């Protein structure tokens, strides 16, 4: 784990470029998928919060999955969902306290953010840098 | 009884032999399942009472022996008087006093109870003069009918557990394995895999545990060789298992017994208990490092449970369904540990092989199929029952010398070998030597040793249909080719028997059979089409006759036959009430007539007519 | 890493991984009806069979189910050998005779050129193809609520004694993964019925939306150490809640900075 995904709501304009990027990146057979990230009204004027999976350390989704379809990728740190294994039981959807495992009704698949396997498309496309994917040392230095 | 070392064992042997010598006169009553069904228990009681009445009470235990099956159950209950070897059949309690007074106390023979030679009607006195027994060579069945099945001392008296002592003290496990390989003994449960080689593979696998399992599931209809062995010589089976366990390094063993075999379970339980109490099972057997226990597992009652992977699942308490195995059970068997699974008959041969040596055993039989094989000979032969013959004997010898030929001297048509998934062998191949490879070559198989003899009154298409029906019912239903394919094959056979077959059905069946054989998961499906394929191979004419001419030459398939009354009818009127469908009319002393629209082809008239006036065509 | 040859192409594989995994990775289409990655392979449908051989086998080849056969170095695999194709159509033909009304079976059979069965159609045939996916999933999840009962042609999937299974939590995994959509369930008015058992759904405390049954939520909370409160809201209301929390923090930041 070298990088970390950082969300800065104060920079988000609610332009929804991230949604578009996510949806295209996860398309199946050319059909756009349900986005794993959504800017939601933060409750204050001009404040949008891009809501996506927090990749929790003690992830409720992983614990809830009875068939081990959810596993942490040791390289990216993301909790990844294996669609071949998933049996669509909705346990993770119900268990995630942040609502970040969702049912893509069109594809009939449960989906969640996988950090695009280590190169999050949303971060690339965010025009205001409200989403960033940066080396851990850098962010530690800045905040620390 | 305490058997802590070889000395103890030999002491018991000596004592047993001494007692036996003291009372050379004995009454042997067969107490196998067949004879018990015919009333043997009452005979035993009567003999015991009779001996008591004659003040022979204190030695009665050594005089009366309740033995295992002789294989001649249809004539039971059987009573043998030793040492004269007088052989009495169909004995009733009312005969017992006579037998004791005349044949036991005196040397007289009671003619009416003797065996009647079905070929010429003559009476035969001695056991070994009866052709059914004369041509047999008994190794697996060596103790059946000779010793009391539930008396451990008697087993020890006939060299029982000497082979165990020999391997424990004089042979290394590898030497035991080499000896069994050298003997050429091949698995008697059907596959015919070298028993010794199987042990060797198993032994050489590093694992925490190794297991020995004895397969006593015996699901073939009409087969009862394993049942008879387990009932009549339980210690022989245990000793075989112990030797196998020593060879592969197993500490635990199981005997998987078919649920319909309560007597076998009782006798095995008693034998195991006797061994545990005396120290022949448990820790440090005969004072050595060898420790071994045996448990009985009751079968789940399905034919497919005899298949190795299903059996092991069943022993472990799971549903007895075959597991797809590209890893063999010798490598990963019971509880995923290396396991030797051997058939009852395979194991019961082991002690004798060890005692008499591999060279002796391999001198019997043929080069690639050594030793003897037990068959259950049934069907249209005069003598039916269990027989043990050297491998390489011809079908003709079995059917005509031992079986006494076809009933009513009718023409022989075919013999079905190998159980439900075996095949039919035609008359032209009667001189085929019976061994693993020859049988497979002609499209049949050894199987566990079923042998059904058929005469010209047997319809070959009907036979194939019968076996397919059995297999459809016994398929576990897990994999598609077996579940659906055998079902469709059976449907096609039904169609042909009903006179609705088309020529294209033959090709359809051939193609479907091939796919079922390639596609199925376990041996049941893989060999399931065999009865059909082998009959199509050797009796295609008969199939074509059914399809094209709408004729069943054996007069079996109801839709393809008619019953007619010939002119030689005497007008006896016997058939009129016999017909349950009021199809026959006629006056006394006039030729009767069958109304074809009413006749259901049940054959009742044919059975009652004393004048051969009913023509089935 | 080992090398095997599939349809003439040499590919890499892990020693011991199942052939089907390698075949799928190579994007070769092999039909399956009893395979599901969540459960152990069973080898029931036999559609995934392939022809295998090795140079040292002297031209002899074998037919094995790829879902169960471990890859081994030097193995030569043909996924569409003549015999294999014949076998597949034959099996699909058998399926078609047994389940003539199943749209899924009809479609798959048609793909293999079987438009009409040459066998006798089974009257009253239902659409359960006995693949065992449902029972194996239910077992793997730890519920063991349904199983295969009976044998041969009369085999069927059923809960014990054909009564509403106490062990079932109503997760619907059996029904959702049935290849022929045979397992029926009914979801309405905040309730769910499957295998004749009635369930109450957890309704979101904010919007009333339902996701899983109460019994399933309680099971997960108890056995998987998940706070039962997590299940009270639906995913959408959870996301809104998160946005609200993060919004408040960001707003402090914003105000502090300005
Ligand atoms: C469907 C099926 C049924 C079988 N039933 C029996 C049986 O009843 N008894 C038996 O000994 N072997 C049976 N077998 C063979 C066993 O799988 C196994 O090969 C055998 O017990 C091994 O012992 P052996 O090497 O001593 O013959 C059966 C095999 C199949 C495929
Ligand atoms: S929906 Fe899929 S990933 Fe989520 S818990 Fe169920 S099986 Fe696991
Ligand atoms: S071949 Fe028949 S008995 Fe064997 S697993 Fe398949 S369905 Fe069951
Ligand atoms: S809904 Fe019930 S039967 Fe189906 S998988 Fe879930 S627990 Fe098992
Ligand atoms: S109900 Fe569906 S999943 Fe279950 S065995 Fe039948 S076809 Fe397979
Ligand atoms: S039981 Fe007596 S001869 Fe078979
Ligand atoms: S996928 Fe059904 S047998 Fe392999």
């Amino acid at each position: 784990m070298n990088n970390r995904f950082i969300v800065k709501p104060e920079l988000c304009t609610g332009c929804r470029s991230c949604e578009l990027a996510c949806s295209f990146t996860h398309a199946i057979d050319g059909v756009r998928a349900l986005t794993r990230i959504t800017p939601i009204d933060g409750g204050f004027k001009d404040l949008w919060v891009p809501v996506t999976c927090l990749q929790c350390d003690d992830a409720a989704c992983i614990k809830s999955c009875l068939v081990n379809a959810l596993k942490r990728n040791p390289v990216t740190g993301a909790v990844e969902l294996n669609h071949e294994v998933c049996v669509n039981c909705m346990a993770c959807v119900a268990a995630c306290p942040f609502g970040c495992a969702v049912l893509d009704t069109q594809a009939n698949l449960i989906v969640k953010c996988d950090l695009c396997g280590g190169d999050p498309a949303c971060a690339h496309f965010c025009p205001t840098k409200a989403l960033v994917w940066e080396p851990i040392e850098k962010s530690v230095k800045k905040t620390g | 009884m305490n058997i802590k070392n070889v000395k103890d064992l030999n002491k018991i042997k000596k004592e047993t032999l001494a007692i036996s010598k003291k009372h050379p006169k004995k009454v042997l009553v067969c107490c196998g399942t067949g004879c018990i069904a015919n009333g043997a228990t009452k005979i035993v009681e009567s003999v015991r009472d009779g001996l008591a009445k004659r003040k022979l009470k204190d030695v009665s235990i050594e005089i009366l022996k309740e033995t295992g099956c002789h294989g001649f159950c249809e004539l039971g209950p059987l009573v043998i008087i030793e040492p004269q070897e007088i052989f009495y059949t169909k004995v009733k309690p009312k005969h017992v006093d006579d037998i004791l007074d005349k044949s036991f106390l005196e040397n007289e023979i009671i003619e009416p109870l003797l065996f009647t030679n079905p070929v010429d009607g003559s009476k035969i006195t001695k056991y070994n003069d009866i052709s059914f027994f004369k041509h047999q060579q008994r190794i697996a069945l060596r103790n059946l009918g000779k010793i009391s099945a539930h008396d451990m001392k008697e087993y020890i008296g006939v060299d029982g557990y000497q082979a165990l002592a020999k391997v424990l003290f004089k042979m290394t496990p590898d030497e035991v394995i080499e000896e069994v390989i050298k003997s050429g003994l091949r698995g008697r449960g059907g596959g015919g895999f070298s028993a010794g080689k199987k042990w060797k593979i198993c032994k050489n696998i590093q694992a925490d545990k190794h297991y020995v399992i004895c397969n006593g599931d015996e699901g073939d209809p009409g087969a009862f060789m394993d049942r008879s062995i387990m009932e009549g010589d339980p210690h022989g089976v245990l000793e075989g298992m112990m030797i196998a366990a020593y060879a592969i390094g197993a500490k635990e063993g199981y005997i998987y017994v078919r649920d319909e075999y309560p007597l076998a379970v009782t006798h095995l339980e008693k034998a195991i208990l006797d061994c545990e109490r005396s120290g022949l099972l448990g820790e440090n057997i005969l004072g050595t490092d060898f420790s071994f226990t045996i448990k009985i597992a009751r079968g789940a009652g399905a034919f497919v449970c005899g298949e190795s992977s299903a059996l092991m699942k069943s022993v472990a308490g799971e549903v007895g369904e075959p597991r797809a195995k590209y890893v063999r059970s010798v490598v990963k068997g019971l509880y995923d540990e290396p396991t030797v699974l051997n058939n009852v008959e395979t194991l019961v041969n082991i002690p004798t092989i060890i005692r008499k040596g591999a060279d002796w055993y391999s001198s019997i039989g043929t080069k690639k199929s050594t030793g003897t094989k037990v068959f259950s000979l049934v069907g249209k032969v005069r003598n039916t029952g269990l027989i043990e013959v050297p491998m390489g004997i011809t079908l003709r010898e079995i059917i005509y010398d031992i079986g006494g030929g076809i009933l009513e001297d009718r023409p022989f048509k075919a013999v079905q070998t190998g159980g439900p998934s075996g095949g039919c062998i035609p008359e032209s191949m009667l001189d085929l030597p019976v061994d693993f490879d020859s049988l497979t070559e002609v499209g049949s198989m050894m199987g566990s040793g079923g042998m059904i003899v058929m005469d010209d009154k047997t319809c070959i298409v009907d036979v194939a249909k019968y076996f397919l029906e059995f297999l459809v019912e016994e398929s576990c239903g897990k994999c598609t080719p077996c579940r659906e394919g055998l079902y469709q094959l059976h449907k096609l056979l039904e169609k042909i028997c009903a006179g609705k077959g088309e020529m294209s059905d033959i090709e359809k069946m051939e193609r479907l059979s091939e796919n079922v054989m390639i596609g199925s998961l376990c041996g049941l499906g893989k060999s399931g089409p065999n009865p059909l394929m082998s009959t199509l191979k050797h009796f295609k004419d008969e199939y074509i006759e059914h399809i094209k001419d709408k004729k069943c030459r054996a007069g079996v398939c109801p839709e393809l036959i008619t019953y007619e009354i010939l002119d030689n009818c005497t007008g006896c009127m016997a058939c009129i009430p016999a017909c349950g469908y009021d199809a026959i009319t006629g006056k006394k002393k006039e030729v009767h007539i069958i109304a074809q629209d009413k006749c259901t082809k049940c054959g009742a008239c044919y059975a009652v007519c004393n004048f051969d006036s009913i023509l089935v065509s | 890493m080992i090398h095997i040859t599939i349809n003439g192409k040499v590919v890499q594989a892990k020693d011991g991984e199942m052939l089907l995994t390698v075949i799928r990775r190579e994007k070769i289409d092999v039909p399956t009806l009893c395979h599901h990655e969540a459960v152990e392979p069973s080898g029931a449908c036999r559609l995934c069979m392939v022809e295998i051989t090795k140079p040292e086998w002297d031209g002899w080849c074998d037919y094995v189910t790829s879902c169960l056969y471990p890859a081994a170095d030097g193995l030569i695999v043909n996924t569409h050998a003549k015999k294999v194709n014949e076998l597949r159509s034959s099996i699909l033909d058998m399926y078609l005779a047994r389940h003539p009304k199943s749209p899924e079976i009809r479609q798959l059979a048609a793909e293999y050129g079987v438009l009409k069965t040459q066998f006798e159609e089974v009257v009253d045939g239902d659409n359960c193809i006995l693949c065992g996916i449902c029972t194996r999933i239910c077992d793997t999840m730890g519920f063991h609520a349904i199983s295969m009962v009976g044998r041969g042609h009369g085999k069927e999937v059923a809960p014990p004694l054909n009564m509403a299974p106490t062990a079932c939590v109503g997760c619907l995994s059996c029904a959702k993964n049935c290849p022929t959509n045979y397992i029926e369930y009914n979801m309405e008015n905040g309730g769910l019925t499957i295998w004749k058992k009635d369930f109450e759904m957890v309704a979101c405390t904010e919007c009333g939306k339902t996701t899983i049954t109460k019994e399933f939520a309680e099971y997960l909370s108890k056995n998987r150490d998940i706070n039962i409160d997590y299940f009270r809201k639906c995913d959408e209301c959870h996301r809104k809640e998160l946005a609200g929390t993060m919004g408040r923090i960001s707003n402090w930041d914003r105000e502090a900075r300005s």
Side-chain angles (χ1 to χ4, degrees):
Chain A
M1 251 171 88
N2 300 317
N3 282 38
R4 168 193 282 194
F5 187 75
I6 297 169
V7 181
K8 300 171 182 162
E10 62 277 16
L11 299 182
C12 176
T13 59
C15 74
R16 302 175 71 186
S17 299
C18 55
E19 276 191 12
L20 220 55
C22 182
S23 173
F24 273 109
T25 308
H26 294 95
I28 301 170
D29 297 330
V31 180
R32 268 171 46 197
L34 181 67
T35 177
R36 282 83 161 141
I37 186 164
T38 313
I40 297 177
D41 186 340
F44 297 89
K45 191 170 179 293
D46 287 340
L47 187 62
W48 292 86
V49 179
V51 172
T52 188
C53 173
L54 309 186
Q55 321 294 354
C56 319
D57 278 344
D58 184 25
C61 61
I62 298 186
K63 288 200 287 191
S64 75
C65 184
L66 300 175
V67 294
N68 289 326
L70 287 158
K71 283 199 180 114
R72 181 153 336 251
N73 181 328
V75 180
T76 63
V79 175
E80 293 179 350
L81 190 155
N82 183 341
H83 285 136
E84 298 289 315
V85 177
C86 172
V87 295
N88 279 29
C89 71
M90 304 286 280
C92 53
V93 178
C96 175
F98 309 116
C100 289
V102 285
L103 173 69
D104 179 343
T105 44
Q106 212 170 359
N108 197 21
L109 292 172
I110 312 293
V111 297
K112 73 171 290 301
C113 167
D114 60 352
L115 295 175
C116 295
D119 188 15
C122 52
H124 277 294
F125 280 79
C126 178
T128 61
K129 296 275 171 287
L131 306 169
V132 284
W133 177 242
E134 60 182 24
I136 288 179
E137 316 89 71
K138 200 170 155 194
S139 61
V140 168
K141 221 187 276 164
K142 257 200 294 190
T143 46
Chain B
M1 216 176 350
N2 239 333
I3 309 176
K4 289 221 164 58
N5 46 45
V6 182
K7 239 196 203 154
D8 293 343
L9 187 67
N10 289 337
K11 200 172 127 216
I12 293 168
K13 180 178 167 188
K14 239 194 213 148
E15 283 167 7
T16 312
L17 290 178
I19 293 170
S20 176
K21 231 188 215 152
K22 210 163 90 195
H23 310 287
K25 282 219 157 187
K26 286 185 191 69
V27 182
L28 275 56
V29 182
C30 178
C31 288
T33 292
C35 286
I36 285 184
N38 285 327
T41 318
K42 284 241 164 65
I43 306 295
V44 170
E45 279 166 23
S46 309
V47 173
R48 195 171 284 137
D49 292 349
L51 289 171
K53 254 193 293 184
R54 286 164 185 77
K55 303 253 182 287
L56 289 159
K57 193 176 158 198
D58 28 324
V59 288
S60 67
I61 302 158
E62 290 101 39
I63 291 172
L64 170 65
K65 283 196 197 182
E66 296 166 45
T67 73
C69 173
H70 294 265
F72 220 11
C73 317
E74 58 166 6
L75 294 177
L78 302 178
V79 172
I80 295 168
I81 307 296
E82 284 196 339
Q84 307 100 303
E85 278 195 12
I86 308 171
F87 185 71
Y88 289 138
T89 62
K90 296 195 177 166
V91 178
K92 299 248 147 41
K94 63 177 183 207
H95 300 135
V96 168
D97 273 331
D98 239 16
I99 293 178
L100 289 178
D101 289 333
K102 292 186 179 151
S103 307
F104 179 71
L105 295 173
E106 302 298 326
N107 233 335
E108 255 177 80
I109 285 155
I110 306 162
E111 276 260 337
L113 292 179
L114 289 178
F115 173 74
T116 313
N117 186 345
V119 183
D120 60 9
S122 63
K123 292 280 181 190
I124 302 175
T125 312
K126 285 193 173 185
Y127 186 88
N128 274 325
D129 289 341
I130 298 169
S131 65
F132 180 78
F133 293 113
K134 196 160 65 185
H135 300 276
Q136 295 194 37
Q137 181 171 3
R138 297 189 154 207
I139 300 171
L141 306 179
R142 62 192 179 276
N143 292 327
L144 267 71
K146 298 254 178 339
I147 62 170
S148 275
H150 40 65
D151 190 344
M152 180 170 176
K153 278 192 206 144
E154 286 211 23
Y155 181 69
I156 294 174
V158 290
D159 289 327
Y161 294 112
Q162 294 294 335
L164 176 70
K166 181 171 172 184
V167 298
L168 290 185
F169 292 99
K170 300 203 177 108
M171 296 170 87
T172 63
D174 286 321
E175 280 167 354
V176 177
I177 289 173
E178 284 314 314
E179 191 74 7
V180 177
I181 292 178
K182 211 168 104 195
S183 76
L185 177 68
R186 292 169 68 171
R188 301 298 196 236
F193 192 78
S194 156
K197 282 192 190 145
K198 194 190 270 184
W199 296 10
K200 189 171 183 169
I201 299 170
C202 187
K203 184 199 170 220
N204 288 337
I205 289 167
Q206 293 293 326
D208 292 348
K209 276 184 170 179
H210 290 72
Y211 291 101
V212 174
I213 305 180
C214 170
N215 190 343
D217 195 49
E218 197 166 55
D220 298 17
F224 60 112
M225 30 264 167
D226 295 345
R227 182 192 76 197
S228 296
I229 294 171
M230 290 186 284
E231 280 173 14
D233 194 12
H235 284 284
V237 180
L238 300 188
E239 190 178 0
M241 285 179 76
M242 293 178 200
I243 294 168
Y246 172 73
I248 66 161
K251 281 190 149 54
E252 285 170 56
Y254 289 87
I255 309 181
Y256 189 80
V257 191
R258 186 171 171 187
D259 211 36
E260 289 90 334
Y261 288 175
L263 194 64
V265 171
T266 314
H267 284 189
L268 284 167
E269 273 171 353
K270 167 91 167 47
I272 291 173
L273 194 70
D274 284 346
C275 283
E276 284 169 352
R277 288 208 175 128
S278 61
L280 282 178
L281 277 175
E283 299 288 314
N284 302 100
I285 295 168
L286 292 179
T288 65
D289 288 341
F290 175 59
S291 304
F292 186 53
T293 57
I294 297 178
K295 287 198 192 90
I296 293 178
R298 297 291 292 264
F303 175 67
V304 77
C305 286
E307 192 273 343
S308 53
S309 65
L311 183 147
M312 288 179 201
K313 276 174 79 176
S314 180
V315 170
E318 293 170 54
V319 178
E321 215 173 58
R323 177 181 79 177
K325 40 165 189 195
Y326 294 112
V327 187
R328 278 175 301 155
S329 60
V330 245
V331 181
K332 244 181 157 189
L334 184 62
Y335 303 119
D336 280 345
E337 303 289 355
T339 305
V340 157
L341 173 70
N342 274 135
N343 167 261
V344 170
E345 189 187 332
T346 314
L347 288 165
V348 86
N349 272 303
I350 298 287
T352 317
I353 291 175
I354 295 293
R355 266 191 306 114
K356 299 197 175 176
D359 292 332
W360 165 80
Y361 191 79
S362 61
S363 70
I364 302 160
T366 67
K367 211 165 163 222
K368 283 184 159 173
S369 300
T370 58
T372 56
K373 173 81 192 92
V374 182
F375 290 98
S376 128
L377 181 65
V378 295
K380 303 287 177 65
V381 274
R382 292 201 170 93
N383 303 324
T384 64
L386 270 200
I387 58 165
E388 183 173 354
V389 289
M391 296 271 194
I393 189 173
T394 64
L395 285 167
R396 191 184 299 280
E397 285 170 280
I398 294 181
I399 294 164
Y400 287 91
D401 295 346
I402 299 177
I406 310 296
L407 277 172
E408 297 172 20
D409 280 323
R410 299 201 72 92
F412 166 87
K413 181 167 190 171
V415 56
Q416 205 274 354
T417 74
S421 34
C424 287
I425 301 169
E427 192 186 6
S428 59
M429 294 176 178
L430 265 180
D431 290 307
L432 188 82
V434 175
D435 62 53
F436 285 104
D437 309 304
S438 318
L439 287 176
T440 313
E441 237 164 71
V442 301
S444 186
M445 58 188 207
M446 179 74 83
S448 55
M451 206 173 258
I452 305 170
V453 180
M454 303 172 215
D455 65 8
D456 62 336
K457 291 260 151 206
T458 319
C459 166
I460 217 77
V461 187
D462 184 62
V463 166
K465 190 181 84 181
Y466 166 81
F467 285 113
L468 258 304
E469 187 175 331
F470 175 85
L471 293 167
V472 168
E473 252 165 46
E474 292 298 331
S475 156
C476 83
K478 177 171 176 171
C479 72
T480 320
C482 172
R483 182 185 67 236
E484 306 299 334
L486 293 181
Y487 174 88
Q488 292 296 350
L489 285 174
H490 178 245
K491 281 279 165 214
L492 285 164
L493 285 169
E494 272 187 343
K495 186 175 156 199
I496 293 172
C497 286
K500 296 184 184 131
E502 296 155 58
M503 281 309 281
S504 62
D505 289 339
I506 293 189
E507 204 207 321
K508 211 187 259 182
M509 290 194 300
E510 281 169 341
R511 255 186 296 128
L512 180 55
S513 293
E514 194 186 322
N515 286 321
V516 171
M517 290 199 248
I518 301 177
S520 291
L521 188 159
C522 85
L524 193 152
K526 278 186 197 300
S527 59
N530 250 358
L532 171 62
M533 292 299 269
S534 77
T535 48
L536 258 181
K537 182 170 169 186
H538 299 301
F539 299 90
K540 204 169 201 158
D541 289 357
E542 225 173 303
Y543 279 88
I544 295 176
E545 240 172 56
H546 276 73
I547 295 171
K548 275 197 172 155
D549 311 338
K550 310 286 173 213
K551 258 193 140 47
C552 171
R553 68 170 86 163
V556 172
C557 298
E559 340 278 300
L560 302 182
I561 51 172
T562 49
Y563 282 77
E564 276 169 286
I565 299 180
L566 297 174
D567 287 348
N568 72 342
C569 164
T570 62
C572 75
M573 301 187 80
C575 55
I576 294 178
C579 175
Y581 305 92
D582 292 333
I584 306 177
T585 49
K587 292 203 183 95
K588 206 167 183 167
K589 293 195 178 160
E590 280 175 24
V591 174
H592 295 4
I593 295 174
I594 300 178
Q596 293 302 329
D597 55 333
K598 286 189 184 165
C599 171
T600 64
K601 289 134 192 181
C602 70
C605 52
Y606 181 84
V608 295
C609 179
N610 282 324
F611 307 97
D612 281 341
S613 298
I614 297 193
L615 175 74
V616 190
S617 63
Chain C
M1 276 294 168
I2 54 163
H3 291 91
I4 64 174
T5 312
I6 303 180
N7 300 348
K9 183 179 158 204
V10 179
V11 302
Q12 277 203 339
K14 274 184 248 147
D15 199 5
E17 77 179 321
M18 295 306 158
L19 283 183
L20 185 64
T21 315
V22 191
I23 291 169
R24 293 244 155 119
R25 199 160 52 221
E26 293 303 313
K27 304 258 183 290
I28 298 167
D29 186 36
V30 163
T32 63
L33 277 175
C34 72
H35 185 74
H36 196 291
E37 288 289 340
V39 295
E40 292 283 314
S42 90
C45 76
R46 320 302 284 173
L47 283 172
C48 70
M49 281 188 121
V50 294
E51 184 182 272
I52 57 164
T53 186
K54 276 192 170 185
E56 61 265 32
W57 288 1
D58 272 339
W60 182 79
C61 48
D62 202 359
Y63 299 89
V64 298
T65 44
S66 58
C67 66
L68 269 164
Y69 197 88
D73 204 27
L75 206 63
I76 301 167
V77 182
N78 187 344
T79 60
H80 287 77
K82 188 163 168 277
K83 265 211 174 132
V84 170
N85 288 337
E86 269 173 32
L87 177 68
R88 270 183 210 141
S89 359
S90 180
I91 292 175
L92 287 165
D93 198 348
M94 296 177 213
Y95 271 130
L96 199 57
R98 174 83 190 259
H99 317 284
K101 292 192 210 88
S102 162
E104 293 83 0
I105 292 299
R106 285 185 15 200
Q107 192 193 331
L108 189 60
E111 279 172 33
Y112 280 78
V114 188
L115 299 170
K116 195 181 168 315
T117 180
Q118 55 170 324
F119 305 122
E120 193 182 309
E121 279 188 7
V122 176
V123 265
D124 304 331
D126 62 28
N127 284 353
C128 170
I129 57 165
L130 300 164
C131 67
I133 287 181
C134 55
T135 56
R136 278 180 289 147
I137 287 181
C138 189
D139 285 347
T140 304
M141 294 180 88
F143 301 125
H144 309 280
I146 47 172
S147 60
M148 291 282 179
V149 288
R151 65 173 183 238
H153 218 244
K155 202 176 189 119
E156 58 179 5
V157 173
L161 307 172
N162 246 319
M163 294 192 312
T166 41
C168 175
V169 299
C171 73
L172 295 184
S173 303
C174 50
K176 287 183 187 165
N177 293 281
C178 170
T180 53
N181 291 307
Y182 172 69
I183 302 173
E184 289 171 5
Y185 64 93
N186 187 26
M187 212 191 266
E188 56 188 12
N189 304 331
L192 161 72
T193 308
I194 185 168
W195 299 112
K196 295 187 207 142
K197 183 169 175 178
D198 298 323
F199 294 92
E200 199 185 322
M201 303 293 288
V202 184
C204 172
T205 48
E206 301 288 318
C207 71
K209 187 172 132 185
T210 59
T211 307
I212 60 172
T213 66
K214 264 198 174 140
E215 210 166 319
F216 194 20
E218 276 155 18
Y219 177 92
L220 291 168
S221 167
K222 193 161 145 232
N223 293 284
R224 310 292 284 197
D225 185 30
I226 299 169
N227 189 338
I228 190 77
D229 291 336
Y230 288 5
F231 296 98
R232 295 200 200 286
K233 280 187 198 172
C234 74
D235 58 329
E236 201 182 337
C237 294
H238 268 141
R239 287 196 295 277
K240 280 192 189 145
E241 186 183 54
L242 178 64
T245 316
M246 283 179 73
R248 270 196 304 282
I249 299 171
S250 298
N251 194 42
W252 289 334
D253 260 14
R254 198 162 63 170
E255 285 177 348
R257 241 178 277 156
S258 62

